[in-house]
Amino acid sequence: MIYAVIGLIFGIIGGVLTPGFIPKIYAPYFSVALMAGLDTAFGGLRAAMEGDYDNTIFLSGFFVNIALSVFLCYAGIMMDIDFYLIVILVLGMRIFNNLAIIRRLFLKK
Amino acid sequence: MTTVKNKHTRILVFLVCIILGFMITMQLKSHNQHQTVAMQRVEDLTVRLKEVQADRDKIAKELDEYRAGRISGAAQKEMDELKARAGETALEGKGIILTVDDSKQAAKAGENKNLYIIHDEDLLRVVNELRAAGAEAISLNGQRLIGSSEIRCVGPTVLVNERRLAAPFVIHAIGNPQTLESSLELRGGVLENFKFWGIKADVVKSDSVVVPAFKGNRIFEFAKPATEKTEKDAAENKDTSKAKENDSGKTNAAKQGSAAANSNTASTASQQKNTGGAQ
């Protein structure tokens, strides 16, 4: 757990120090990827609290979710359908779900 | 709570969290950046607009200076006069103000209602009458009438200087008020005709009639000033016809001499014959 927090802090510092920013055309992809990353992170936290954390599942979930969400976003832009809304909606719901379970587990303890 | 078992897993979780943190910050940063880019664009455009406006004012001022500098004295006076003649300046003077409005009489059954309203033709007749009576400047509902001004029917309105005007029509004319008024009120003239149909026409003589300047645009799309050569050709044609007219006998050889210099041989010959006959 402490590693995760330290990693997050390192990441934030790295992001602040990195010059430049995301070009506007890639902004939707990036936001969707961020959503997927957050979702996986919360999923991992929940799994860790439930006690069935699996590193492989966590890692593969992290990257595959990001890849899929970015692909969906791309396909949506290609087809002129706002797929990224679906991605953000589903991932957002999952984040809330995970958070609710984490909260319950935390309170139960 | 922590179920991280070995070092390997810890490092991987660490790395994933680094990526996540990095992404979060980048997203926030980019979001702010996009906003500021839009704001910057607005600011840039505002600054540029101001610059361009300043430039424009400066150039307009320079143009005025050049105009003032190059034209002076007599030329300036002449230009002012020509401008006034062309309708570029507002004029003021003695004249009349004529107001005409549609008839309020109800059309009798079976009669054409169009007879009771003012048409472009009526206005044309009034304007023509005023010009014939020596009006020096005429405006119709604030539109200065110049050489190229049209008075034309467009549906319920009248088109003057490419602008639509509707009744009542107010015509300002500068000229001798007495002459102008009497020319309009001739027996069987324009206003009497109006009266017959109940069209209201009201002439007011005034010591100070203001006729505004022409505000439309005039651009020569096809016409351009004639060159010297074409002008000469035109003059020659005129001369030949004049020379033929003069066959009847009046001798103004001295006057025609200068014209004959640039006329063709035929006309010169006829002129010589002309002068010879008189002697």
Side-chain angles (χ1 to χ4, degrees):
Chain A
M1 193 68 189
I2 193 80
Y3 288 96
V5 174
I6 294 169
L8 213 57
I9 291 165
F10 267 87
I12 289 170
I13 292 168
V16 171
L17 292 181
T18 316
F21 56 92
I22 319 279
K24 190 140 184 148
I25 36 163
Y26 298 124
Y29 305 117
F30 201 80
S31 56
V32 161
L34 176 63
M35 212 64 185
L38 276 176
D39 167 59
T40 322
F42 276 105
L45 189 58
R46 173 192 160 189
M49 289 184 83
E50 280 174 343
D52 53 357
Y53 175 80
D54 187 326
N55 202 30
T56 332
I57 292 177
F58 178 67
L59 276 179
S60 61
F62 185 76
F63 290 111
V64 170
N65 278 2
I66 287 181
L68 180 67
S69 55
V70 168
F71 170 74
L72 270 181
C73 187
Y74 173 73
I77 287 174
M78 283 293 115
M79 289 186 284
D80 223 3
I81 304 170
D82 290 342
F83 268 159
Y84 75 94
L85 284 178
I86 297 169
V87 175
I88 286 182
L89 185 72
V90 171
L91 293 178
M93 277 171 72
R94 276 179 53 158
I95 289 172
F96 274 109
N97 243 340
N98 284 336
L99 204 64
I101 290 165
I102 290 166
R103 192 161 40 87
R104 263 170 218 147
L105 286 171
F106 192 74
L107 288 173
K108 234 182 246 173
K109 261 203 323 189
Chain B
M1 185 172 140
T2 359
T3 44
V4 181
K5 278 153 204 156
N6 53 38
K7 211 178 165 187
H8 197 61
T9 317
R10 283 175 194 166
I11 291 167
L12 284 171
V13 168
F14 182 63
L15 286 175
V16 165
C17 284
I18 286 180
I19 295 173
L20 204 62
F22 182 75
M23 281 169 78
I24 292 171
T25 7
M26 283 307 272
Q27 175 72 17
L28 288 174
K29 245 171 72 176
S30 304
H31 179 66
N32 289 339
Q33 193 69 34
H34 292 321
Q35 262 186 347
T36 48
V37 163
M39 287 298 288
Q40 264 174 3
R41 188 152 169 72
V42 171
E43 275 167 24
D44 277 359
L45 288 175
T46 317
V47 169
R48 272 187 56 192
L49 178 68
K50 274 187 187 154
E51 278 176 5
V52 170
Q53 276 176 344
D55 268 6
R56 184 201 61 191
D57 291 347
K58 212 180 104 194
I59 290 169
K61 217 172 161 188
E62 263 177 39
L63 185 65
D64 279 350
E65 272 170 25
Y66 283 134
R67 272 188 182 150
R70 218 171 56 189
I71 302 167
S72 57
Q76 178 69 49
K77 216 171 158 189
E78 197 185 329
M79 191 167 132
D80 285 347
E81 205 196 307
L82 285 175
K83 264 188 171 175
R85 230 168 249 271
E88 284 288 310
T89 48
L91 296 176
E92 198 205 346
K94 274 188 185 177
I96 59 158
I97 300 168
L98 170 69
T99 314
V100 277
D101 198 355
D102 290 343
S103 172
K104 292 283 183 291
Q105 281 180 18
K108 286 169 201 130
E111 238 177 354
N112 190 352
K113 276 181 190 165
N114 275 333
L115 292 170
Y116 291 90
I117 59 171
I118 299 164
H119 291 277
D120 48 332
E121 284 167 19
D122 302 325
L123 293 171
L124 269 171
R125 280 183 61 196
V126 170
V127 169
N128 199 28
E129 204 64 56
L130 287 173
R131 279 191 172 146
E136 284 157 15
I138 305 173
S139 77
L140 178 50
N141 278 17
Q143 289 297 324
R144 175 74 172 266
L145 296 181
I146 59 165
S148 61
S149 296
E150 76 282 15
I151 298 181
R152 185 185 186 278
C153 175
V154 272
T157 54
V158 170
L159 197 71
V160 175
N161 286 352
E162 289 170 8
R163 232 156 278 189
R164 284 154 178 261
L165 307 178
F169 297 99
V170 183
I171 297 171
H172 293 246
I174 297 179
N176 183 343
Q178 196 54 54
T179 322
L180 293 178
E181 194 190 17
S182 44
S183 78
L184 289 175
E185 286 174 350
L186 276 177
R187 181 156 294 188
V190 193
L191 293 194
E192 203 174 280
N193 195 28
F194 282 176
K195 243 172 243 163
F196 181 73
W197 297 109
I199 291 172
K200 280 177 218 134
D202 182 28
V203 184
V204 177
K205 282 187 274 185
S206 169
D207 278 345
S208 158
V209 176
V210 179
V211 172
F214 177 70
K215 285 178 224 98
N217 56 351
R218 47 177 132 210
I219 298 163
F220 282 135
E221 198 182 336
F222 300 105
K224 55 186 177 205
T227 58
E228 231 167 76
K229 194 177 168 291
T230 48
E231 225 170 324
K232 213 187 252 177
D233 287 349
E236 250 167 46
N237 291 338
K238 224 180 185 174
D239 279 347
T240 34
S241 59
K242 214 186 251 173
K244 273 170 195 162
E245 276 169 26
N246 282 341
D247 271 351
S248 54
K250 279 183 203 162
T251 56
N252 41 3
K255 205 173 147 197
Q256 293 256 328
S258 61
N262 51 13
S263 59
N264 59 31
T265 45
S267 75
T268 330
S270 73
Q271 254 162 21
Q272 275 164 356
K273 198 175 81 189
N274 216 343
T275 42
Q279 278 163 356

